[in-house]
Amino acid sequence: MNIYFENGKILTKNGGYIFDKDFFGKEVIKNKINLKFAEKEITIINIIPHENSFEKNDIRNLLSVMKTEDLNIISRARHMLEWDYSHKFCGICGKKLNEYNIKQNNKVCPECGYIHYPKMAPAIIVGITKGDKILLAHNVNFKNNVYSLIAGFVEPGEKLEETVRREVGEEVGIKVKNIKYFSSQPWPFPDSMMIGFTAEWESGDIKPDGVEIADAGWYEVSKLPNLPLNGSIARRIINFIFEGKMVGKNE
Ligand SMILES: [Zn+2]
């Protein structure tokens, strides 16, 4: 069975994304990797962009419409395909790595023996409240004037709560308290994992850093700006804060 990707987008036909036929010849295959899902082996294939009869879907747009099990498969497939593509050679001695070993979940260097495991970049995302308002920020990279939560990558040596405090301090200049874990979401763009939190304002006035965050403010439920996509963890945290319960998929 095969799952196909083209330029990071998953290929579908009539809503399906797992196929038992080989659709593409060697000449258009960039890389491929065999993965195991619930005892079933599936080949994940990355093709070179070209005219074909498949629909090309950004995974972000599937978050609110696909079942959690399917999203987990697709997220793992995309993450591992990218890792395979960007880890062909040993970073220590430069030799070509062995094929991915499904059982051991790694690639071994045939020359120096170094074991290369799939890498993942954890990132925090936090919904901050002040009374009945929520902090929403416009990142310079956001399209459609969307406002979302503060997020950022965990640095080596940091606890997740420390990342929350540091990122909030750096991006909007305030202090937070009562940091609580919310939920998580695989974020394979290309290899992240979003770890969601809620927190409360403790002190300070909002000062957007002007580099990543162009604008930020406290918003009440009746005056919300454009929000992130349904099904994203950002949106689920926002919904949770205003409705007091888990809303959406991937709980
Ligand atoms: Zn090596």
Side-chain angles (χ1 to χ4, degrees), residues 223-238:
K223 289 179 189 155
L224 292 174
N226 292 344
L227 295 177
L229 288 170
N230 270 318
S232 64
I233 188 161
R235 185 61 174 268
R236 287 194 290 126
I237 294 173
I238 295 167

Side-chain angles (χ1 to χ4, degrees), residues 101-127:
N101 182 317
I102 291 193
K103 267 199 182 146
Q104 307 294 334
N105 186 35
N106 62 32
K107 289 184 182 184
V108 176
C109 174
E111 184 73 17
C112 72
Y114 192 87
I115 303 172
H116 299 259
Y117 289 96
K119 70 180 178 76
M120 184 184 286
I124 63 88
I125 181 159
V126 56

Side-chain angles (χ1 to χ4, degrees), residues 155 165-174 207-209 212:
E155 290 184 355
R165 286 192 199 95
R166 178 181 54 74
E167 284 289 340
V168 171
E170 285 173 5
E171 295 193 353
V172 288
I174 63 167
K207 285 184 218 80
D209 68 3
E212 275 189 68

Side-chain angles (χ1 to χ4, degrees), residues 126-130 164 176-180 197-201:
V126 56
I128 305 162
T129 53
K130 186 181 184 185
V164 170
V176 291
K177 60 180 181 181
N178 291 339
I179 298 167
K180 287 194 186 118
F197 291 89
T198 57
E200 289 171 37
W201 172 83

